[in-house]
């Protein structure tokens, strides 16, 4: 069985696909090396509603993925995770209030 992950505040909540169909909105996120992009969708129609983007905050540790992996191996994985989760949360809030 596949699982859909929903971010809510600081928690990741596993939801079955059947339960996920009860949600009206969903978001697709592209975590790029320099930019994080989010698009909000109406899940009933598949229509894109809003989009938002920002610079990837992990770039303060390194400009590339290898550098970020190195930072994670040196004990910064929780910080890197928090940075990207916070960025996604902010983009989601921006898309929902646009």
């Amino acid at each position: 069985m596949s699982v859909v992950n929903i971010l809510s505040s600081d928690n990741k909540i596993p939801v079955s696909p059947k339960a996920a169909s009860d949600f009206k909105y969903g978001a697709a996120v592209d975590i790029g090396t320099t930019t994080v992009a989010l698009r909000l969708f109406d899940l009933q129609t598949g229509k894109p509603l809003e989009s938002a983007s920002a610079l990837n905050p992990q770039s303060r540790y390194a400009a590339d993925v290898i550098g970020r992996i190195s930072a994670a191996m040196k004990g910064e994985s929780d910080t890197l995770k928090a940075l990207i989760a916070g960025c996604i949360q902010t983009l989601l809030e921006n898309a929902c209030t646009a």
Side-chain angles (χ1 to χ4, degrees):
M1 176 172 96
S2 62
V3 172
V4 176
N5 289 315
I6 297 172
L7 291 176
S8 172
S9 299
D10 293 330
N11 302 312
K12 185 168 74 171
I13 306 164
V15 177
S16 71
K18 180 174 174 15
S21 67
D22 295 336
F23 291 96
K24 183 170 169 97
Y25 303 102
V29 181
D30 177 8
I31 302 171
T33 306
T34 57
T35 305
V36 180
L38 178 140
R39 181 165 282 182
L40 185 66
F41 291 90
D42 180 323
L43 295 179
Q44 306 303 315
T45 66
K47 179 182 173 187
L49 301 172
E50 291 292 336
S51 59
S53 64
L55 293 176
N56 188 329
Q58 294 176 332
S59 63
R60 72 178 73 157
Y61 282 88
D64 62 358
V65 174
I66 299 301
R68 293 177 196 167
I69 291 170
S70 177
M73 292 175 63
K74 293 177 182 172
E76 297 296 337
S77 60
D78 287 341
T79 302
L80 291 165
K81 178 181 170 183
L83 285 170
I84 202 65
C87 182
I88 293 169
Q89 184 69 33
T90 299
L91 292 176
L92 188 55
E93 290 169 3
N94 291 345
C96 287
T97 58

